[in-house]
Amino acid sequence: MDGVAEQKMEKREPMAGINDEFEKMYRENFDDIYGFVYHQIRHRQMAEDITQDTFYAALTLGEEFLRHPKQRAWLAVTAQNKMYELYRKMKYWAAEPLEEVYHELAVYDPNYEATELELAALAIISEEEWNLMKDYYLQGITARELAEMAGITENNLRVRLSRLKGKLRKDITR
């Protein structure tokens, strides 16, 4: 074997070890980090993206990350930071009127205002909460019917609706 081939072998061996260690760490922690993120944002695709970004950040650190004494804690904090970053972006997007970004949508979509309202609301509350608000305020389903479907008392449902309305009012008017 010539000297160049030996140098290439030497360079690949440490990286192969890092990849094996990283893959093991990934398999051991993926479900926990994904579950943590999903529990916070309740959106499958966004949770997958944030989890992927978190592990990518760890991979870019390479050996430095693998030597970290508390890898799982580092991953959780990084995932939390990635979620905050997403929330900041979503609030910016929600504050920007759609017609400035997609003028064609405002012209051609008869449901433009409903779409803009929904995007703004989903930047603040979960999809489940938004569906509850739509069912009550837009679809006209009674509080009694919604409470029965949710398996809660009517009073509890009214309190939830009131809190959601207040949260939307507070965050949208900022």
Side-chain angles (χ1 to χ4, degrees), residues 3 18 23 33 36 43 46 54 64 82 89 92-93 98 107 113 115 117-119 124 126 129-130 141 147 152 164 169:
I18 288 173
E23 188 175 329
I33 299 302
F36 167 70
H43 190 278
M46 280 194 251
T54 300
E64 182 182 340
K82 298 281 182 190
K89 286 179 183 176
Y92 171 77
W93 294 332
L98 282 178
V107 174
E113 288 179 359
T115 303
L117 175 65
E118 185 162 0
L119 289 173
I124 300 166
S126 73
E129 292 169 329
W130 174 242
I141 300 175
I152 57 176
L164 288 172
R169 184 180 302 121

Side-chain angles (χ1 to χ4, degrees), residues 126-137:
S126 73
E127 190 171 350
E128 182 181 325
E129 292 169 329
W130 174 242
N131 288 334
L132 179 66
M133 299 278 297
K134 280 193 323 188
D135 287 344
Y136 184 74
Y137 291 106

Side-chain angles (χ1 to χ4, degrees), residues 6 24 50-51 74 80 84 98 103 110 114 124-125 130-131 157 165-167:
E6 286 177 9
K24 180 179 182 246
I50 289 171
T51 303
W74 186 95
Q80 186 73 46
Y84 288 146
L98 282 178
H103 180 70
I124 300 166
I125 62 176
W130 174 242
N131 288 334
L157 180 94
K165 192 165 62 171
K167 186 175 184 180

Side-chain angles (χ1 to χ4, degrees), residues 58-77:
L59 181 62
T60 58
L61 289 176
E63 230 175 275
E64 182 182 340
F65 173 76
L66 292 174
R67 287 191 309 258
H68 195 283
K70 297 185 178 187
Q71 292 175 354
R72 188 177 301 224
W74 186 95
L75 291 167
V77 168

Side-chain angles (χ1 to χ4, degrees), residues 24-118:
K24 180 179 182 246
M25 179 280 308
Y26 177 85
R27 275 188 261 112
E28 289 173 354
N29 294 292
F30 180 84
D31 289 340
D32 291 337
I33 299 302
Y34 173 79
F36 167 70
V37 173
Y38 182 80
H39 179 74
Q40 298 291 319
I41 62 176
R42 301 282 189 208
H43 190 278
R44 186 185 58 78
Q45 186 62 47
M46 280 194 251
E48 288 173 4
D49 290 347
I50 289 171
T51 303
Q52 178 182 356
D53 290 348
T54 300
F55 280 98
Y56 181 75
L59 181 62
T60 58
L61 289 176
E63 230 175 275
E64 182 182 340
F65 173 76
L66 292 174
R67 287 191 309 258
H68 195 283
K70 297 185 178 187
Q71 292 175 354
R72 188 177 301 224
W74 186 95
L75 291 167
V77 168
T78 301
Q80 186 73 46
N81 290 337
K82 298 281 182 190
M83 284 186 280
Y84 288 146
E85 183 180 313
L86 176 66
Y87 290 144
R88 282 191 301 273
K89 286 179 183 176
M90 289 176 75
K91 283 192 176 195
Y92 171 77
W93 294 332
E96 186 175 313
L98 282 178
E99 62 227 9
E100 290 177 13
V101 181
Y102 298 106
H103 180 70
E104 302 82 30
L105 178 64
V107 174
Y108 297 110
D109 187 1
N111 298 321
Y112 167 74
E113 288 179 359
T115 303
E116 187 171 30
L117 175 65
E118 185 162 0

